[in-house]
Amino acid sequence: MDSVNASESETQQLTLDVEIESFFESTPPLKDSAGVQKKLHDFIKFNSSPPGCESGRRVVCVTCGGTTVPLEQRCVRYIDNFSSGHRGAASTEYFIKAGYAVVYLHRRETCQPYCRYLPEDPFLECFEFNKESSIQVQPSYSEAVRRAIGDHHAAVAEGRLLKIPFTTIFEYLQMLRIIAMSMKVLGSHAMFYLAAAVSDFYVPWKSLAEHKIQSASGSLDMQLAQVPKMLSVLRKEWAPLAFCISFKLETDSKILLEKADMALKKYKMHMVVANELLTRKEEVTIVTNNGNIPVHRDKTQPCSDVEQPLVELLVHKHSAYVDDSDT
Ligand code: PAZ
């Protein structure tokens, strides 16, 4: 890098640092930041030497669901980012099965681990009265309910699943920072699997109207600021040794891989999972510095999903990364 480019990138970094600092300074504080930090501390300590295990478990932070951008402080209206939370919920199950402990940073009311096979609408369809007027599970759902209860209870009882909910972009980024800084002690044994759909634009808290915006004054003009990109600070400062995977969603297949490759390089991710909105449940492409790896759902299996081969591959890559870091 010549000196002109070096100073240009230093200036860009400095600008980003200032933007990030001012984002966190102007953000409404989390309701229970101390409580979240305590839960994380206990979770990480427990999984560093779990009873009956010779070594500590690896810990992955799975993020999922879309962040909202409030348009009023006492929020009635907001802008949302699309994500059902399915990717994160399914991946969490596979990470736990592979021996990981999972910090599940998820959007409230989106898909939850172990609930994928239960009816969403209406959930009550699962239950019925028997002859004695007691409630029982509908026979057609009994296997799914048995599995959901068994796997979920086991994950919680073994101390492998910590759920942290968010709604707004303000909550999400503050939580992500707390989680990353708590996981720093795990070094290369930590992984970030960043599948959440994070807003690119927001209205800074101080510029928001306090009360519901009134429609009587006609059309609405609103200036949205860019959300500072936190991925580079996650890599550089919050958890520099962690294995980091981000996701890139596009609707135009022509630009998908190029955008994923740009994110890989710009934010120094270890891998970027590229997916297209319409085909995201069938196939994804893992973009790495050593080439691209396509991953498909096994269509010959009735209940298969793309998360299973994806997580298997990433666990394998993480192991290689840990071995490399240890030597
Ligand atoms: O949550 P979901 O299963 O409906 O969708 C997953 C996804 C498409 C939100 C995720 O795979 C993803 O690409 N997240 C990053 C989105 C982004 O580019 O901001």
Side-chain angles (χ1 to χ4, degrees):
M1 196 187 284
D2 60 33
S3 59
V4 177
N5 281 343
S7 69
E8 205 175 285
S9 88
E10 276 163 23
T11 315
Q12 277 173 1
Q13 186 55 50
L14 224 68
T15 315
L16 181 63
D17 290 349
V18 171
E19 280 170 11
I20 290 174
E21 208 172 300
S22 96
F23 177 89
F24 283 120
E25 267 172 13
S26 63
T27 291
L30 286 176
K31 283 209 182 79
D32 184 24
S33 157
V36 174
Q37 288 190 39
K38 163 98 176 67
K39 276 189 200 159
L40 277 162
H41 175 266
D42 294 349
F43 185 77
I44 288 162
K45 194 166 166 216
F46 177 82
N47 281 294
S48 299
S49 51
C53 296
E54 271 171 35
S55 57
R57 289 179 184 137
R58 291 183 193 158
V59 181
V60 57
C61 170
V62 172
T63 73
C64 76
T67 59
T68 67
V69 169
L71 298 185
E72 296 121 348
Q73 287 187 353
R74 300 190 191 197
C75 181
V76 175
R77 302 187 186 90
Y78 56 86
I79 302 173
D80 208 349
N81 258 52
F82 166 78
S83 164
S84 67
H86 182 277
R87 173 90 77 222
S91 306
T92 293
E93 294 174 24
Y94 293 121
F95 276 120
I96 289 177
K97 207 167 169 192
Y100 281 68
V102 179
V103 179
Y104 185 60
L105 178 59
H106 65 284
R107 165 78 178 273
R108 282 184 185 84
E109 287 150 27
T110 50
C111 189
Q112 294 296 306
Y114 307 113
C115 296
R116 288 184 290 149
Y117 302 111
L118 304 180
E120 258 177 48
D121 186 22
F123 179 64
L124 291 178
E125 214 177 81
C126 260
F127 307 104
E128 63 184 9
F129 289 113
N130 62 16
K131 282 190 195 121
E132 292 79 40
S133 293
S134 299
I135 293 162
Q136 67 179 28
V137 175
Q138 265 265 357
S140 58
Y141 286 113
S142 64
E143 193 39 50
V145 172
R146 189 186 305 278
R147 205 172 122 191
I149 295 175
D151 291 351
H152 179 264
H153 286 15
V156 173
E158 288 169 16
R160 286 174 187 270
L161 179 59
L162 176 64
K163 291 185 182 183
I164 301 182
F166 68 84
T167 303
T168 66
I169 180 74
F170 302 117
E171 288 176 315
Y172 174 80
L173 288 174
Q174 288 184 90
M175 299 279 199
L176 183 64
R177 181 169 65 162
I178 293 176
I179 295 168
M181 286 166 127
S182 308
M183 285 172 59
K184 195 173 186 172
V185 292
L186 298 165
S188 62
H189 288 240
M191 189 201 286
F192 285 84
Y193 181 89
L194 304 164
V198 182
S199 328
D200 285 325
F201 304 101
Y202 79 121
V203 186
W205 187 253
K206 284 181 184 143
S207 315
L208 285 174
E210 183 186 350
H211 292 283
K212 185 182 165 201
I213 297 166
Q214 296 299 309
S215 58
S217 30
S219 65
L220 176 66
D221 277 331
M222 217 170 214
Q223 180 87 24
L224 300 182
Q226 215 173 1
V227 174
K229 300 290 180 203
M230 304 279 175
L231 290 184
S232 44
V233 75
L234 168 80
R235 280 288 288 122
K236 260 178 59 184
E237 287 170 31
W238 298 347
L241 298 178
F243 189 61
C244 287
I245 297 132
S246 69
F247 280 70
K248 174 57 74 187
L249 173 70
E250 291 295 343
T251 52
D252 180 354
S253 59
K254 291 198 260 342
I255 60 168
L256 176 63
L257 295 180
E258 188 192 327
K259 293 290 289 283
D261 194 53
M262 271 164 65
L264 181 80
K265 300 206 162 69
K266 188 164 179 196
Y267 305 121
K268 301 197 167 48
M269 290 288 109
H270 294 100
M271 294 176 176
V272 175
V273 180
N275 58 166
E276 228 187 293
L277 187 64
L278 289 179
T279 56
R280 72 190 192 285
K281 294 194 175 189
E282 298 299 319
E283 60 186 37
V284 299
T285 304
I286 307 180
V287 175
T288 80
N289 282 319
N290 301 318
N292 298 347
I293 312 167
V295 181
H296 297 270
R297 179 175 82 79
D298 179 355
K299 292 192 183 91
T300 62
Q301 299 300 317
C303 283
S304 65
D305 50 42
V306 70
E307 285 79 12
Q308 181 168 17
L310 173 63
V311 169
E312 271 169 17
L313 214 142
L314 294 176
V315 166
H316 182 70
K317 297 281 179 196
H318 187 203
S319 294
Y321 175 77
V322 170
D323 291 347
D324 255 17
S325 313
D326 288 350
T327 50

